[in-house]
Amino acid sequence: MSGSVRAVVLEQVGRPAVVRELELIEPRAGEVRVRMLASGVCHSDLHVRDGEWDRPTPIVMGHEGAGVVEAVGPGVTSPRVGELVALSWLIPCGVCRSCRRGRIWECPDSPSYGHTLLDGETAFRIDRSSGVRSYCAIATMAEASVVPAAAAIPLPDGVDPGAAALIGCCVTTGVGAVLRTAAVPAGSSVAVIGLGGVGLSVVMGAVLAEASRIVAIDRLSAKLDAARSVGATDTLLAGEDAAETAATLGDLTDGGPDYVFEAIGRPSTVELAISALPVGGTAVLVGMTPIGERASFEVFPFVDGARRIIGSNYGSAEPAIDFPRYAAWTLEGKLPVDRLIDRRIGIEDVEDAFDQMRQGRYVRQVITF
Ligand SMILES: NC(=O)c1ccc[n+]([C@@H]2O[C@H](COP(=O)([O-])OP(=O)(O)OC[C@H]3O[C@@H](n4cnc5c(N)ncnc54)[C@H](O)[C@@H]3O)[C@@H](O)[C@H]2O)c1
Ligand SMILES: [Zn+2]
Ligand SMILES: [Zn+2]
């Protein structure tokens, strides 16, 4: 055992997450122990907490984290002890048809989705006989975590740990949705619906893509200010009437944005994204709904106008390539990731953070250890 660590544990979905003292195993072959420095609170954590996705419990939460490698198991050559790493919530299985085509972000058989280490062992223990799973095999809401070495991606020196944590999920998801999934051409008009950590990362990606117009949409005006600070050219407060929002968006973008990114995960805003498309426009769905939700749209104009819908998982990322790239852009000032972090909290504040998130109050809350 590596000793005991404090960790945020979801014992039962729909019930409050609690801080527990757990035993952490020593890293074995192919594993590393990461002393966590920061973990973002992503809406995906809230989906899990609220039981909107089916996940096994008890489980140590968190999938957006960064820390320093403290120990490596036998045979591990990368990462090295002392390196700053961001953790990837998706390790490809390597053998499925998506992995064989090099499209690892699609991998449906990722061992990460077993929420254990690669051989099914749990990194955390309550006692000798009962283990606690690790969300996506990385469990970032813990003072330290033992993870597969492949999930720990070294970053260049000097990156702020909070920014490094966000590269582990929202930055890669949002920036990658623009640059990789949609490959938005320079000069395109873009709209982004929902301005949390993911949506604002889409805005930052659209700036890097040299979009001509970036319209940021949210139901809260504070989020519009945040979007302007990372490069949105226009903002739009979403009211109750989706048709009115779509019409105003059309006025701002010469009939509709070439690309609309949905970064909330609600059927109503998915439908708004599709309804706002001009002829030839593309809706990129990034937000994740509760499992089982459906959205609908009128088929004839969609087909007649050659419109498109694309789903984007993890920003079509290859973490070993994209994490260091996004980190370097952060250091160069091209990705102002620090502007996304507007509240730093302790490990015991996670339930409060979830409450704030339900109200949309902060852009990104980050646990610092
Ligand atoms: N595709 C992926 O790989 C991936 C990765 C990470 C997160 N996600 C998903 O992305 C979504 C966003 O995550 P986040 O952490 O940025 O969430 P968040 O809760 O921080 O942000 C959501 C934003 O949407 C706004 N909003 C909510 N309802 C609205 C409405 N009806 N109209 C306009 N604005 C509205 C809120 O005010 C808030 O600013 C979640 O569903 C999350 O699970 C997807
Ligand atoms: Zn996330
Ligand atoms: Zn695979």
Side-chain angles (χ1 to χ4, degrees):
M1 290 285 164
S2 293
S4 67
V5 294
R6 293 195 311 146
V8 176
V9 182
L10 187 68
E11 295 178 333
Q12 209 185 323
V13 295
R15 307 277 310 150
V18 288
V19 176
R20 292 271 182 255
E21 190 99 25
L22 299 175
E23 292 299 316
L24 184 62
I25 67 168
E26 288 292 345
R28 303 165 304 161
E31 298 167 357
V32 300
R33 183 169 78 239
V34 176
R35 180 61 48 183
M36 220 61 74
L37 295 173
S39 172
V41 182
C42 174
H43 203 113
S44 298
D45 299 309
L46 185 54
H47 286 302
V48 172
R49 150 68 177 82
D50 286 345
E52 293 175 348
W53 302 348
D54 190 24
R55 297 290 179 269
T57 53
I59 193 164
V60 177
M61 300 192 75
H63 65 280
E64 184 178 85
V68 170
V69 178
E70 201 173 48
V72 303
V76 173
T77 53
S78 176
R80 293 190 309 270
V81 171
E83 276 187 311
L84 173 69
V85 291
L87 298 176
S88 166
W89 53 252
L90 196 163
I91 305 170
C93 79
V95 293
C96 74
R97 75 182 215 174
S98 293
C99 286
R100 290 199 311 273
R101 292 171 182 173
R103 299 174 61 85
I104 59 175
W105 55 89
E106 292 172 358
C107 176
D109 303 326
S110 165
S112 310
Y113 301 155
H115 310 290
T116 61
L117 293 165
L118 300 186
D119 62 353
E121 190 63 74
T122 54
F124 297 94
R125 304 275 168 79
I126 299 169
D127 53 42
R128 232 170 245 287
S129 58
S130 42
V132 179
R133 287 173 191 255
S134 295
Y135 189 63
C136 288
I138 55 177
T140 61
M141 292 184 184
E143 291 170 327
S145 192
V146 169
V147 306
I153 312 296
L155 297 187
D157 285 339
V159 181
D160 167 70
L166 269 50
I167 287 170
C169 187
C170 69
V171 168
T172 294
T173 296
V175 173
V178 178
L179 299 185
R180 292 190 54 123
T181 313
V184 169
S188 307
S189 53
V190 167
V192 187
I193 309 173
L195 304 172
V198 174
L200 287 185
S201 296
V202 173
V203 171
M204 294 193 300
V207 171
L208 291 174
E210 298 177 24
S212 58
R213 214 66 196 264
I214 307 170
V215 186
I217 304 167
D218 201 283
R219 59 177 178 186
L220 298 174
S221 58
K223 296 300 178 72
L224 305 185
D225 297 338
R228 262 185 236 107
S229 84
V230 296
T233 59
D234 302 83
T235 55
L236 181 51
L237 195 61
E240 292 300 311
D241 187 348
E244 194 183 307
T245 305
T248 312
L249 186 51
D251 292 343
L252 285 169
T253 52
D254 188 24
D258 297 315
Y259 293 84
V260 183
F261 292 81
E262 201 277 354
I264 304 168
R266 285 173 188 254
S268 61
T269 42
V270 168
E271 288 168 358
L272 168 63
I274 296 167
S275 71
L277 294 178
V279 165
T282 302
V284 186
L285 306 187
V286 184
M288 311 275 272
T289 64
I291 302 220
E293 296 274 2
R294 288 170 174 272
S296 72
F297 59 94
E298 195 183 338
V299 177
F300 186 89
F302 187 88
V303 179
D304 192 54
R307 293 166 171 88
R308 298 188 300 162
I309 303 173
I310 319 177
S312 180
N313 193 42
Y314 215 172
S316 304
E318 295 177 77
I321 296 168
D322 293 325
F323 283 13
R325 207 159 60 108
Y326 298 152
W329 291 347
T330 302
L331 287 172
E332 290 165 25
K334 290 203 276 190
L335 269 182
V337 177
D338 52 317
R339 285 183 214 157
L340 270 46
I341 303 173
D342 50 359
R343 188 184 188 212
R344 294 192 188 251
I345 59 173
I347 194 173
E348 62 287 340
D349 302 322
V350 168
E351 272 298 314
D352 180 59
F354 286 147
D355 275 341
Q356 304 292 344
M357 180 176 270
R358 288 188 190 95
Q359 297 164 52
R361 198 162 287 148
Y362 293 98
V363 172
R364 207 47 149 204
Q365 305 176 83
V366 172
I367 303 167
T368 49
F369 297 92

